[in-house]
Amino acid sequence: MTIGKLVEYEDAPAEVKAVYDDIMATRKVDWINNFWKALANDPVTLRRVWEGIKTVMAPGALDPLTKEMLYVAVSVTNNCEYCINSHIAGARKAGMSDAMLHELLAVVGMANQTNALVNGYQVELDERIRKAAQGG
Amino acid sequence: MTIGKLVEYEDAPAEVKAVYDDIMATRKVDWINNFWKALANDPVTLRRVWEGIKTVMAPGALDPLTKEMLYVAVSVTNNCEYCINSHIAGARKAGMSDAMLHELLAVVGMANQTNALVNGYQVELDERIRKAAQGG
Amino acid sequence: MTIGKLVEYEDAPAEVKAVYDDIMATRKVDWINNFWKALANDPVTLRRVWEGIKTVMAPGALDPLTKEMLYVAVSVTNNCEYCINSHIAGARKAGMSDAMLHELLAVVGMANQTNALVNGYQVELDERIRKAAQGG
Amino acid sequence: MTIGKLVEYEDAPAEVKAVYDDIMATRKVDWINNFWKALANDPVTLRRVWEGIKTVMAPGALDPLTKEMLYVAVSVTNNCEYCINSHIAGARKAGMSDAMLHELLAVVGMANQTNALVNGYQVELDERIRKAAQGG
Amino acid sequence: MTIGKLVEYEDAPAEVKAVYDDIMATRKVDWINNFWKALANDPVTLRRVWEGIKTVMAPGALDPLTKEMLYVAVSVTNNCEYCINSHIAGARKAGMSDAMLHELLAVVGMANQTNALVNGYQVELDERIRKAAQGG
Amino acid sequence: MTIGKLVEYEDAPAEVKAVYDDIMATRKVDWINNFWKALANDPVTLRRVWEGIKTVMAPGALDPLTKEMLYVAVSVTNNCEYCINSHIAGARKAGMSDAMLHELLAVVGMANQTNALVNGYQVELDERIRKAAQGG
């Protein structure tokens, strides 16, 4: 059960309503999901996180679909059920097919496996991989 | 320091050489990085993991660049230095620009932040997000 | 569902009853929460963990409220629902207001974000930060 | 090695210099640590993260020392070496003694232990703990 | 709720049925658990993961009971409820007693505690431990 | 660099020396590794953690080799380099062969992979697995 109340639009103070309005306008939806209603217990954080999400998830060098899938990858690794669902939903809305979801999850599973193998064997970084990661 | 020796091509048994050859042919490179040289201490795992990576990272519904970036997202979340470097290198090779890397890392940072906020507030999943995640 | 039974006071062997009595006396409560009832399946661990908690959470250089909030920070990061709830409850009992909880969660969210950014950019530690951390 | 260059003040574009100036003024220091120099490869993220940190870490319902210690607790749990050092340094500057640091780390260790025990035994949340966490 | 449908035997395509048959034959059971029914939404991953599990969990230098307990240790650390339950079940089937489970969980709790303490104190690795880990 | 000094035997106060003596006697070694020297900055925690480790790692329903391998599994999952090395060293001393280490790491890698797949697909727990985990 959410800590604090879920702040509904009609009960929200003006500063929260303003954020809710911006969320709905930006996302072209007519409802607010529970994440924002929970954050609204702390209007300063609500605004800060929303402004951050709006900036970070906007189309840029990466398209929104890629960003949503990256969000799913992190959320699966952290086992955040709410986040997995909301960003799978977001990715689907941005065009992710079932086949893409399956491949996404296969990559995430494999990455978690090889991360553990690297940790276990304590593999030393190859100098030329380090340079290539630097863009050199 | 890597647990076990780093198995060099010239010292490798035939079953390991066969995997190394396939890695180099598939990736069109002429060298083997330390991850595989470490796994080669256990030839069965070397083959299994390589076959898995080859399948999972092949172009399909998702392109190789997207897959490499997903791999980076997981590896950053798990803080696996080797994996972060090797998959940033892989993503660059597949076309990731600096601007794309910056946006990727911004998404990963934001996702780790909101995952924690969801956990802390224990936000309940909206029924309609659950349905949308199901593709409904 | 808890692995093993929840060991109720009236069904508990003497060694478990003794720990339960000490928990209730130390915390000035008249009931035992499920964590201890679950650990009581293993009386040696029950006693060891209780003695540890009693020592670690006692007022010392840090006051109990700060300790409960630190416990919440770890539990949110690990996404342990039971622990988040029980230590938010403990922190409230020790005086945490809603405003303090909101700031606590904001810090935890931010820390998870910047931890990921540091990992992603692989930022090298400044020599003078290292010294300052040492108390130098 | 940091991905990207460490952007020094004298080489920084105006938008980055403005953030650096604000960091130094806010913190009353005359140098910039590597975290910001690394983020400066992406000026938009630099500004967003700095504004966020400035808000979140400012004195409010919680004092700066408590906030720094919470940051340490998260960073230890995530094993982020840079973050552990920089926030231990920050906490010391805000007044943390060695004795406080030892108790902080003891709590973090204990919390990680009991989080795992709760996960392993899959302890069900007590209804009255849930209510107490809600502030009820 | 599982993403995708749970693919039942009677509705499964031939390639999935073949894997299901092999799972049941290998494990000497007459039913398929939900993990495989969920993976069956992606038959390529189903086969790859099943073949991997079959290889990795087969008796070898380590017996199946030890392997199941190692699986539990990882799953508890990652807080994967499904995995904790399915591998505790697997370990019990392979002979794990309640006493063994209690000791297993005690070790996992302790390891999570000392991992955090090592991170917090940033303990440097002893040269002779490094050598001993190498088998030297 | 370790936070605090590494407390050497000859500089240690009596309460620390007593723990060091017990560590060396229990483990039949003539030196103290850095983990304990770091914890000795906080003698209360040193004693508590040592007493805990001594109890938890003693032979019981599980033998010391199995316990060391479980410790490695957790430490790899948490990516604690010190802990991975010290418990691989401990496991080798207790009889772990290279072949056993390879299988251990293969299981840990696989478990991290399937944990992520379960999280991603959000697989619902089978009622009969839950019962089997309960020992029913």
Side-chain angles (χ1 to χ4, degrees):
Chain A
M1 209 165 83
T2 305
I3 293 287
K5 58 186 173 300
L6 291 170
V7 180
E8 300 296 337
Y9 188 91
E10 48 277 13
D11 308 321
E15 65 196 308
V16 167
K17 268 193 176 121
V19 175
Y20 284 4
D21 286 337
D22 193 37
I23 292 171
M24 292 189 287
T26 304
R27 297 191 162 172
K28 299 181 182 35
V29 295
D30 62 357
W31 63 291
I32 294 293
N33 55 298
N34 287 346
F35 177 60
W36 305 112
K37 292 182 189 168
L39 281 192
N41 288 283
D42 177 5
V44 174
T45 296
L46 173 69
R47 173 164 291 285
R48 178 177 57 79
V49 174
W50 164 245
E51 296 289 354
I53 287 269
K54 191 164 68 162
T55 302
V56 167
M57 300 304 282
L62 298 178
D63 59 276
L65 171 56
T66 300
K67 290 183 170 185
E68 289 290 348
M69 291 194 297
L70 291 167
Y71 226 110
V72 172
V74 172
S75 302
V76 168
T77 301
N78 284 333
N79 193 11
C80 175
E81 186 198 5
Y82 189 97
C83 319
I84 294 168
N85 275 281
S86 60
H87 292 283
I88 286 181
R92 284 194 192 277
K93 198 170 163 183
M96 181 179 69
S97 65
D98 283 344
M100 292 162 82
L101 175 59
H102 297 150
E103 293 194 11
L104 155 58
L105 295 177
V107 172
V108 171
M110 181 58 72
N112 275 285
Q113 178 175 228
T114 60
N115 282 197
L117 287 168
V118 163
N119 291 348
Y121 280 99
Q122 299 174 67
V123 187
E124 290 156 88
L125 188 52
D126 306 74
E127 208 39 54
R128 66 167 113 179
I129 287 185
R130 192 184 295 277
K131 274 181 198 147
Q134 294 290 334
Chain B
M1 210 166 81
T2 305
I3 294 287
K5 58 187 174 300
L6 292 170
V7 180
E8 300 297 337
Y9 188 90
E10 47 277 15
D11 308 321
E15 64 195 308
V16 167
K17 268 193 177 120
V19 175
Y20 284 4
D21 286 337
D22 193 37
I23 292 171
M24 292 190 287
T26 303
R27 297 190 161 175
K28 299 181 182 33
V29 294
D30 63 356
W31 63 291
I32 294 294
N33 56 298
N34 287 346
F35 177 58
W36 305 113
K37 290 183 191 168
L39 282 193
N41 288 283
D42 177 4
V44 173
T45 296
L46 173 70
R47 173 163 292 283
R48 177 176 60 77
V49 174
W50 163 245
E51 296 289 353
I53 288 268
K54 191 164 68 163
T55 302
V56 167
M57 300 304 282
L62 298 177
D63 59 276
L65 170 56
T66 300
K67 290 182 171 186
E68 289 290 346
M69 291 194 297
L70 292 167
Y71 225 110
V72 172
V74 172
S75 302
V76 168
T77 301
N78 285 333
N79 194 12
C80 175
E81 187 198 5
Y82 189 96
C83 319
I84 295 168
N85 275 280
S86 60
H87 291 282
I88 287 181
R92 285 195 193 276
K93 198 171 164 183
M96 181 179 69
S97 65
D98 282 344
M100 292 162 83
L101 175 60
H102 297 151
E103 293 195 10
L104 156 58
L105 295 177
V107 172
V108 171
M110 182 58 72
N112 275 285
Q113 177 175 228
T114 60
N115 283 197
L117 287 168
V118 163
N119 292 348
Y121 281 100
Q122 300 173 65
V123 187
E124 291 156 88
L125 187 53
D126 306 74
E127 208 38 55
R128 66 167 114 180
I129 287 184
R130 192 185 296 276
K131 274 182 199 147
Q134 294 290 334
Chain C
M1 210 165 82
T2 305
I3 293 288
K5 58 187 172 302
L6 292 170
V7 180
E8 300 297 336
Y9 188 89
E10 47 276 15
D11 308 322
E15 64 196 309
V16 167
K17 268 192 177 121
V19 175
Y20 283 4
D21 286 336
D22 193 37
I23 292 171
M24 291 189 287
T26 303
R27 297 191 161 172
K28 299 179 182 32
V29 295
D30 62 357
W31 62 291
I32 294 294
N33 56 299
N34 287 347
F35 177 59
W36 305 112
K37 290 183 191 168
L39 282 193
N41 288 283
D42 177 5
V44 173
T45 296
L46 172 70
R47 173 162 292 283
R48 179 177 58 78
V49 173
W50 164 245
E51 296 290 352
I53 287 267
K54 191 164 68 162
T55 302
V56 167
M57 300 304 281
L62 298 178
D63 59 276
L65 171 55
T66 301
K67 290 182 171 185
E68 289 290 347
M69 291 194 298
L70 292 167
Y71 226 110
V72 173
V74 172
S75 303
V76 169
T77 301
N78 285 334
N79 193 12
C80 176
E81 186 198 5
Y82 188 97
C83 319
I84 294 168
N85 276 280
S86 60
H87 292 282
I88 286 180
R92 284 195 192 276
K93 198 171 163 182
M96 181 179 69
S97 65
D98 283 344
M100 292 162 82
L101 175 59
H102 297 150
E103 294 195 9
L104 156 57
L105 295 178
V107 173
V108 171
M110 182 58 73
N112 276 285
Q113 178 175 226
T114 60
N115 281 197
L117 287 168
V118 163
N119 292 348
Y121 281 99
Q122 299 174 65
V123 187
E124 290 156 88
L125 187 54
D126 306 74
E127 208 38 55
R128 65 167 114 179
I129 287 185
R130 192 184 296 275
K131 274 182 198 147
Q134 293 289 334
Chain D
M1 209 165 83
T2 305
I3 293 287
K5 58 185 171 302
L6 292 170
V7 180
E8 299 298 337
Y9 188 91
E10 47 277 14
D11 308 321
E15 64 196 309
V16 166
K17 269 194 175 118
V19 175
Y20 283 5
D21 286 337
D22 193 38
I23 291 171
M24 291 189 288
T26 303
R27 297 193 162 171
K28 299 181 183 32
V29 295
D30 62 357
W31 63 291
I32 294 294
N33 55 298
N34 287 346
F35 177 60
W36 306 112
K37 291 183 190 167
L39 281 193
N41 288 284
D42 176 6
V44 173
T45 295
L46 173 70
R47 173 164 290 284
R48 178 177 58 78
V49 174
W50 164 245
E51 296 289 354
I53 287 269
K54 191 163 69 161
T55 301
V56 167
M57 299 304 281
L62 298 178
D63 59 276
L65 171 56
T66 300
K67 290 182 171 185
E68 289 290 347
M69 291 193 298
L70 292 167
Y71 226 111
V72 173
V74 172
S75 302
V76 168
T77 301
N78 284 334
N79 194 11
C80 175
E81 186 198 5
Y82 188 97
C83 318
I84 295 168
N85 275 280
S86 61
H87 292 281
I88 287 180
R92 285 195 192 276
K93 197 170 164 184
M96 181 180 68
S97 65
D98 283 344
M100 292 162 82
L101 175 59
H102 296 150
E103 294 194 10
L104 156 57
L105 295 178
V107 172
V108 171
M110 183 58 72
N112 276 284
Q113 178 175 227
T114 60
N115 282 197
L117 287 168
V118 163
N119 292 347
Y121 281 98
Q122 299 174 67
V123 187
E124 290 157 88
L125 188 53
D126 306 75
E127 207 39 53
R128 66 167 114 179
I129 287 185
R130 192 184 295 277
K131 275 181 198 147
Q134 293 289 335
Chain E
M1 210 166 82
T2 305
I3 294 287
K5 58 186 172 300
L6 292 170
V7 180
E8 301 297 338
Y9 189 90
E10 48 276 16
D11 309 322
E15 64 194 310
V16 168
K17 269 195 176 119
V19 175
Y20 284 5
D21 286 337
D22 192 37
I23 292 172
M24 292 190 286
T26 303
R27 298 191 162 172
K28 300 182 182 31
V29 294
D30 62 357
W31 62 290
I32 293 294
N33 57 298
N34 286 346
F35 177 59
W36 305 113
K37 290 183 190 169
L39 282 193
N41 288 284
D42 177 4
V44 173
T45 296
L46 173 70
R47 173 163 292 284
R48 177 176 58 78
V49 174
W50 164 245
E51 298 289 353
I53 287 269
K54 191 165 67 163
T55 302
V56 167
M57 300 304 281
L62 298 178
D63 59 276
L65 170 56
T66 301
K67 290 182 170 186
E68 289 290 346
M69 291 194 298
L70 292 167
Y71 226 110
V72 172
V74 172
S75 302
V76 168
T77 301
N78 284 334
N79 193 12
C80 175
E81 186 198 5
Y82 188 95
C83 319
I84 294 168
N85 275 280
S86 60
H87 292 281
I88 287 181
R92 284 194 193 277
K93 197 170 164 183
M96 181 179 69
S97 65
D98 283 344
M100 293 163 82
L101 175 59
H102 298 150
E103 294 194 11
L104 156 57
L105 295 178
V107 172
V108 171
M110 181 58 71
N112 276 284
Q113 178 175 226
T114 60
N115 282 196
L117 288 168
V118 163
N119 291 348
Y121 281 99
Q122 299 173 67
V123 187
E124 291 157 87
L125 188 52
D126 306 75
E127 207 39 54
R128 66 167 113 178
I129 287 185
R130 192 184 295 276
K131 274 182 200 148
Q134 293 291 333
Chain F
M1 210 166 82
T2 305
I3 294 287
K5 59 187 173 302
L6 291 170
V7 181
E8 300 296 338
Y9 188 90
E10 47 276 15
D11 308 322
E15 65 196 308
V16 167
K17 268 194 176 120
V19 175
Y20 284 3
D21 286 336
D22 193 37
I23 292 171
M24 291 189 288
T26 303
R27 297 192 162 171
K28 300 182 183 28
V29 295
D30 62 357
W31 63 290
I32 294 294
N33 56 299
N34 287 347
F35 177 59
W36 305 113
K37 291 183 190 168
L39 281 193
N41 288 283
D42 177 4
V44 173
T45 296
L46 173 70
R47 173 164 292 284
R48 178 177 58 78
V49 174
W50 164 244
E51 296 289 353
I53 287 269
K54 191 164 66 162
T55 303
V56 167
M57 299 305 281
L62 298 178
D63 58 277
L65 170 56
T66 300
K67 289 181 171 185
E68 289 290 347
M69 291 194 297
L70 292 167
Y71 226 110
V72 172
V74 172
S75 302
V76 168
T77 301
N78 285 333
N79 193 10
C80 176
E81 186 198 4
Y82 188 96
C83 319
I84 295 168
N85 275 281
S86 61
H87 293 282
I88 286 180
R92 284 194 193 276
K93 199 171 162 181
M96 181 179 68
S97 65
D98 283 344
M100 291 162 82
L101 175 59
H102 297 149
E103 294 195 9
L104 156 57
L105 295 178
V107 172
V108 171
M110 182 58 72
N112 276 284
Q113 178 175 227
T114 60
N115 282 196
L117 288 168
V118 163
N119 292 348
Y121 280 100
Q122 299 174 66
V123 187
E124 291 156 87
L125 187 53
D126 306 74
E127 208 39 54
R128 67 167 113 179
I129 287 185
R130 191 184 295 276
K131 274 182 199 148
Q134 293 290 334

